[in-house]
Short mmCIF file of all heavy atoms in Angstrom, two decimals:
data_model
loop_
_atom_site.label_atom_id
_atom_site.label_comp_id
_atom_site.label_asym_id
_atom_site.label_seq_id
_atom_site.Cartn_x
_atom_site.Cartn_y
_atom_site.Cartn_z
N TYR X 79 86.72 60.24 9.94
CA TYR X 79 87.17 60.57 8.58
C TYR X 79 87.42 59.27 7.82
O TYR X 79 87.61 58.20 8.39
CB TYR X 79 88.42 61.45 8.58
CG TYR X 79 89.67 60.79 9.11
CD1 TYR X 79 90.46 59.96 8.31
CD2 TYR X 79 90.09 61.01 10.43
CE1 TYR X 79 91.62 59.37 8.80
CE2 TYR X 79 91.24 60.43 10.92
CZ TYR X 79 92.00 59.61 10.10
OH TYR X 79 93.14 59.01 10.59
N THR X 80 87.42 59.41 6.49
CA THR X 80 87.72 58.28 5.61
C THR X 80 88.87 58.66 4.70
O THR X 80 88.85 59.74 4.10
CB THR X 80 86.49 57.93 4.73
OG1 THR X 80 85.36 57.74 5.56
CG2 THR X 80 86.76 56.67 3.92
N SER X 81 89.87 57.80 4.59
CA SER X 81 90.96 58.01 3.64
C SER X 81 90.95 56.84 2.66
O SER X 81 90.05 56.00 2.67
CB SER X 81 92.30 58.08 4.38
OG SER X 81 92.65 56.80 4.90
N ARG X 82 91.94 56.79 1.81
CA ARG X 82 91.97 55.70 0.85
C ARG X 82 92.31 54.36 1.48
O ARG X 82 91.99 53.32 0.94
CB ARG X 82 92.94 56.03 -0.29
CG ARG X 82 92.38 57.09 -1.23
CD ARG X 82 93.23 57.31 -2.48
NE ARG X 82 92.44 58.07 -3.46
CZ ARG X 82 92.31 59.39 -3.48
NH1 ARG X 82 92.93 60.10 -2.54
NH2 ARG X 82 91.58 59.98 -4.39
N GLU X 83 92.96 54.37 2.65
CA GLU X 83 93.37 53.11 3.25
C GLU X 83 92.86 52.89 4.67
O GLU X 83 93.07 51.82 5.23
CB GLU X 83 94.91 53.00 3.22
CG GLU X 83 95.44 52.95 1.80
CD GLU X 83 96.93 52.70 1.71
OE1 GLU X 83 97.68 53.14 2.62
OE2 GLU X 83 97.36 52.06 0.72
N MET X 84 92.17 53.89 5.25
CA MET X 84 91.67 53.74 6.62
C MET X 84 90.36 54.51 6.80
O MET X 84 90.09 55.46 6.08
CB MET X 84 92.68 54.26 7.65
CG MET X 84 93.96 53.47 7.75
SD MET X 84 94.91 53.92 9.23
CE MET X 84 94.32 52.69 10.39
N THR X 85 89.59 54.07 7.81
CA THR X 85 88.45 54.82 8.30
C THR X 85 88.65 54.98 9.81
O THR X 85 89.00 54.01 10.49
CB THR X 85 87.13 54.11 8.02
OG1 THR X 85 87.02 53.87 6.61
CG2 THR X 85 85.95 54.96 8.47
N ALA X 86 88.44 56.19 10.32
CA ALA X 86 88.69 56.45 11.73
C ALA X 86 87.46 57.06 12.39
O ALA X 86 86.79 57.91 11.80
CB ALA X 86 89.87 57.41 11.89
N TYR X 87 87.21 56.62 13.62
CA TYR X 87 86.16 57.18 14.49
C TYR X 87 86.85 57.51 15.81
O TYR X 87 87.44 56.63 16.43
CB TYR X 87 85.06 56.15 14.73
CG TYR X 87 84.47 55.55 13.47
CD1 TYR X 87 85.04 54.41 12.87
CD2 TYR X 87 83.33 56.10 12.87
CE1 TYR X 87 84.50 53.86 11.72
CE2 TYR X 87 82.78 55.55 11.72
CZ TYR X 87 83.37 54.43 11.15
OH TYR X 87 82.83 53.88 10.01
N TYR X 88 86.78 58.76 16.24
CA TYR X 88 87.58 59.12 17.42
C TYR X 88 86.90 60.24 18.21
O TYR X 88 86.03 60.96 17.70
CB TYR X 88 88.97 59.56 17.00
CG TYR X 88 89.00 60.79 16.11
CD1 TYR X 88 89.20 62.06 16.65
CD2 TYR X 88 88.81 60.69 14.73
CE1 TYR X 88 89.21 63.19 15.85
CE2 TYR X 88 88.81 61.80 13.92
CZ TYR X 88 89.01 63.06 14.49
OH TYR X 88 89.01 64.17 13.68
N ALA X 89 87.32 60.37 19.46
CA ALA X 89 86.80 61.42 20.34
C ALA X 89 87.91 61.93 21.24
O ALA X 89 88.83 61.18 21.60
CB ALA X 89 85.65 60.88 21.20
N ARG X 90 87.81 63.19 21.60
CA ARG X 90 88.73 63.78 22.59
C ARG X 90 87.91 64.22 23.79
O ARG X 90 86.92 64.94 23.66
CB ARG X 90 89.50 64.96 22.01
CG ARG X 90 90.55 65.47 23.01
CD ARG X 90 91.50 66.48 22.40
NE ARG X 90 92.49 66.91 23.38
CZ ARG X 90 93.46 67.78 23.14
NH1 ARG X 90 93.57 68.32 21.93
NH2 ARG X 90 94.32 68.11 24.09
N VAL X 91 88.34 63.76 24.95
CA VAL X 91 87.62 64.01 26.20
C VAL X 91 88.62 64.19 27.33
O VAL X 91 89.83 63.99 27.15
CB VAL X 91 86.68 62.81 26.55
CG1 VAL X 91 85.56 62.68 25.53
CG2 VAL X 91 87.49 61.51 26.66
N LEU X 92 88.13 64.53 28.52
CA LEU X 92 88.98 64.52 29.70
C LEU X 92 89.31 63.08 30.08
O LEU X 92 88.56 62.15 29.74
CB LEU X 92 88.28 65.24 30.85
CG LEU X 92 88.03 66.74 30.65
CD1 LEU X 92 87.26 67.31 31.84
CD2 LEU X 92 89.33 67.49 30.43
#
Side-chain angles (χ1 to χ4, degrees):
Y79 67 82
T80 306
S81 70
R82 286 188 166 84
E83 296 186 328
M84 293 193 93
T85 304
Y87 307 88
Y88 62 95
R90 186 170 181 180
V91 294
L92 295 177

